[in-house]
Amino acid sequence: MSSVKITKWQMISVGVCYMIGAILHLSEVSATAGRDAWLMPVAGLIMFVPTAAIYCLLVKLHPQKCLYEINEQALGKTLGKVFTFLYMLFFFHICTLNTMQAEAFVSAYLLPGTPVIVCGLMMTAFCAFAIYRGLRAIIVIPFAFGIVSGAYLLFNFLQSVPQMRPEFLRPMLAQEPRVYLHAAHIEATVIYGEIIGLLTFAGMLEKKTKFSVCFIITMIISCLYLILVHLRERTLLGDLTPYVSFPSFGAVRMIGNVTGTLSRVESIYSLVMIAFSIFRVLITLWAVITALKQVFNLQSYTSLIIPAAALAAVYSMRIYASPNDSYIYGLNTTPFVWTVFTFIMPLITLVFAAARRLLTKMPTPNTSRKLPEQGAEPSGAEGF
Amino acid sequence: MLIVFIFFGIITISSLITPIKNGRIKEIAIICALISIGLYYGIRFAQGEPAWSPLNSLEEWMINSTPFNYNA
């Protein structure tokens, strides 16, 4: 159990910033649901409710424990370590995916021509430094940054309102049901499902604070934010949305082209996007390093930070042949693979945890017998 | 780019110093494993070749051989 304690609002800010970091991954949902993409955060959230209930129940059954400690308590030492190792692979994959997306974004729009490895190494070096400085740095970053950039994102949205064309949203809900199921599945697993990373912080939550409350508030704020992002994308870009590599950024560029006085606002927006993406890399890298510590029963993770960060940077260059491949997999198979990690594995853990709890609560044969008199020697064989 | 690689390589290898000083064998083994995997990916990147990764292989297998993909 960690000695560092985090408050309710710190936990919520970590969760919300982590979710906003998914902004670079929204193109799959936009491409699938088309003009109805703005409704998919709600559909995805409804689909995500059972998963969210599993997470909240897991933390309720194991208060003051993180995801990996819960695994070991519920599944036993060996199976628990296997699960933690699988989660480590999953978080490492997410970490490198986010690094790759951020690299692609920086080298395409922010600093064209910069080698991706330089971007990747700089990002992961920053994350490694933040983790090295300790958890306090990881928690303070979103709390301070989230408020400022959240206000900017809201201002940015309001700025785009005059250019929005609601007719791009019509006709509503006129596509095949399969399309909505597909888009909601992507939203529930790829966008919301990655919030499982927040469970690695569950052990640090203050005793009086309820994880479920933090989780629900985080999900609602994230859902509202995703709706706004999809709405802006669609109403500004229309049918062009699937053809733009980063639609949310493409939409902001439209504001720059239309308004006269406050043009080129996309430069600040891109910095905010990058900062949130780096924060997402930071959280997942933290999850990887703490998983390594848990799997191998290490005293400290400090010496693992730099090798893990360096590996993430190098791996991010080879994870897919190109960001396009990642997009194709994200559209077709990733929702199924992510379901294993975000739904099935936590469900198995919950079943084991519930079974353990039931077994410990069940009355043993001893209790029905007459208790030995005070002072009498207890017999070890009694009850067998 | 080579300078960046060398610089980061030196920093990575330097993280071995503390565990070696304190004789923490497990940590040394893990760091060496991470460096080896990193080298593998680095070399594949330099060669311009794809590299093996567990989740990617799983996704590739799923898209080609199972109904668990939306392309099927």
Side-chain angles (χ1 to χ4, degrees), chain A residues 2 102 113 186 220-221 279 331 339 351 381:
Chain A
S2 171
I186 295 176
I220 291 171
I221 297 174
F279 180 71
L331 216 53
T339 306
V351 169

Coordinates of all heavy atoms in Angstrom, one line a residue, chain A residues 2 102 113 186 220-221 279 331 339 351 381:
Chain A
S2 N 0.6 2.2 -0.8 CA 1.4 3.4 -1.0 C 1.2 4.4 0.2 O 0.1 4.5 0.7 CB 1.1 4.1 -2.3 OG 1.7 5.3 -2.3
A102 N 1.2 10.4 -30.8 CA 1.8 11.8 -30.5 C 2.9 12.1 -31.4 O 3.1 13.2 -31.9 CB 2.1 11.9 -29.0
G113 N 9.1 17.3 -40.3 CA 10.4 16.9 -40.6 C 11.2 16.4 -39.5 O 12.3 15.9 -39.6
I186 N -16.3 0.3 -30.1 CA -15.0 1.0 -30.1 C -14.9 2.0 -29.0 O -13.9 2.1 -28.2 CB -14.7 1.7 -31.5 CG1 -14.7 0.7 -32.6 CG2 -13.5 2.5 -31.4 CD1 -14.5 1.3 -34.0
I220 N -18.6 10.8 -16.5 CA -19.6 11.8 -17.0 C -18.9 13.0 -17.7 O -19.3 13.4 -18.8 CB -20.5 12.2 -15.8 CG1 -21.4 11.1 -15.4 CG2 -21.4 13.4 -16.3 CD1 -22.2 11.3 -14.2
I221 N -17.9 13.5 -17.0 CA -17.1 14.7 -17.6 C -16.5 14.2 -18.9 O -16.6 15.0 -19.9 CB -16.1 15.2 -16.6 CG1 -16.7 15.7 -15.3 CG2 -15.2 16.3 -17.3 CD1 -15.7 16.1 -14.2
F279 N 0.5 13.1 -21.0 CA 0.0 12.7 -19.7 C -0.5 11.3 -19.8 O -0.3 10.5 -18.9 CB -1.1 13.6 -19.3 CG -1.6 13.3 -17.9 CD1 -0.9 13.4 -16.8 CD2 -2.9 12.7 -17.8 CE1 -1.3 13.0 -15.6 CE2 -3.3 12.3 -16.6 CZ -2.6 12.5 -15.5
L331 N -10.0 -0.1 -35.9 CA -11.3 -0.2 -36.5 C -11.9 -1.6 -36.4 O -13.1 -1.8 -36.2 CB -11.3 0.3 -37.9 CG -12.4 1.1 -38.5 CD1 -12.7 2.3 -37.7 CD2 -12.0 1.5 -39.9
T339 N -11.4 -5.9 -25.2 CA -12.4 -6.5 -24.4 C -11.9 -7.5 -23.4 O -12.3 -7.5 -22.2 CB -13.5 -7.1 -25.2 OG1 -14.0 -6.1 -26.2 CG2 -14.7 -7.6 -24.4
V351 N -15.2 -12.4 -10.0 CA -15.8 -13.7 -9.7 C -15.0 -14.4 -8.6 O -15.5 -14.9 -7.6 CB -15.9 -14.6 -10.9 CG1 -16.3 -16.0 -10.6 CG2 -16.9 -14.0 -11.9
A381 N -7.2 -30.2 15.5 CA -7.9 -31.1 14.6 C -9.4 -31.0 14.7 O -10.1 -31.5 13.8 CB -7.5 -32.6 15.1

